Amino acid sequence: MDNSVHKKTKGKVMEIRDKIFSEVNMYKRLKKAAKAEELTNFEKAIDYAKTMHNGMKRKSNRYRKGTEVPYIAHPLMMACHAHALGIKDDTVLSVIMLHDVCEECDITPEQLPFPKEITEEVKRLTKKEGQETSEYYRIIGESSTASIVKALDRVNNVSTMASSFPKYKELEYIEETEKYVYPLLDKIKIEYTDYSDAVFVIKYHLRALLETSKCLIIGENIN
């Protein structure tokens, strides 16, 4: 199969899929929503991100090398997740689509052809070389938009880390999430109450994934 790899466990065959959803279908869904809801910056950001990330790939599935997912699937999935949670703000959805463009495509936030309220949030989310992680999250936490985008970014990355991250990276990610992202979620719930319902779902999803990952890592070490 093109997008899966078979693993046998005690006589059973399981499939590990490289993609959770089709980036083509997500693109169509979001473009339709942006047009219907008159989210002009978001509609532009979808196409801009698609162009900028063209040809770029996400990390390979570590169980089958060479099976790479188009990079654009990441922001598209985040935007679908946000929209499904009822987040339909033009700025937030635009920032989701653009949040990795500067780090991955070697341009500055100021060069993005979008309004300042969008580029400033992308700037918060773009980690500078040598920047301390604590400072990075402090700056993100000053903004409701950057905070909810970071939360969605982390839950999407955690959703696929078991198949793509080496164990040491997975452990680092779990530690960083517990140290910085959980407090960020608590801050959103208390200070940015418009996202309280979304944060409940994100936190549940994130905790469930991390606890499952920890159990699997412990099990592998015991076995």
Side-chain angles (χ1 to χ4, degrees), residues 3 19 38 43 60 65 111 116 153 164 167 174 180 199 201:
N3 294 316
K19 291 196 289 187
E38 298 182 344
E43 186 175 5
S60 297
K65 299 303 180 184
Q111 291 175 309
K116 188 173 181 179
D153 178 44
S164 58
K167 276 290 174 280
I174 290 170
Y180 297 108
V199 163
V201 177

Side-chain angles (χ1 to χ4, degrees), residues 33-159:
K35 192 173 292 292
E37 295 162 24
E38 298 182 344
L39 304 173
T40 54
N41 286 313
F42 178 44
E43 186 175 5
K44 180 182 175 182
I46 295 169
D47 287 324
Y48 183 82
K50 185 181 179 184
T51 298
M52 294 301 291
H53 290 304
N54 184 42
M56 297 176 63
K57 304 292 184 181
R58 294 283 280 172
K59 293 180 177 67
S60 297
N61 186 318
R62 67 189 177 98
Y63 294 104
R64 188 181 69 178
K65 299 303 180 184
T67 57
E68 296 171 317
V69 175
Y71 200 96
I72 192 62
H74 171 56
L76 287 174
M77 196 176 301
M78 283 175 58
C80 285
H81 191 178
H83 196 265
L85 289 171
I87 299 173
K88 301 183 179 182
D89 181 87
D90 194 27
T91 296
V92 173
L93 292 170
S94 298
V95 173
I96 286 172
M97 291 307 307
L98 301 170
H99 78 281
D100 274 345
V101 167
C102 295
E103 286 185 9
E104 299 294 336
C105 304
D106 196 29
I107 64 169
T108 67
E110 292 78 13
Q111 291 175 309
L112 296 172
F114 290 89
K116 188 173 181 179
E117 62 266 24
I118 292 173
T119 61
E120 285 297 310
E121 299 302 330
V122 175
K123 187 174 182 178
R124 288 180 186 274
L125 290 156
T126 303
K127 193 171 185 180
K128 303 175 184 67
E129 187 176 352
Q131 185 178 26
E132 293 290 336
T133 302
S134 58
E135 177 67 4
Y136 174 64
Y137 278 96
R138 184 192 67 76
I139 291 170
I140 287 173
E142 293 174 347
S143 160
S144 62
T145 294
S147 295
I148 195 65
V149 172
K150 189 62 185 179
L152 288 160
D153 178 44
R154 182 51 55 111
V155 78
N156 183 255
N157 284 332
V158 168
S159 295

Side-chain angles (χ1 to χ4, degrees), residues 203-220:
K203 195 169 186 177
Y204 166 75
H205 187 178
L206 196 54
R207 281 190 178 276
L209 288 167
L210 288 194
E211 294 307 312
T212 299
S213 292
K214 286 191 283 187
C215 287
L216 291 173
I217 291 169
I218 292 169
E220 284 187 11

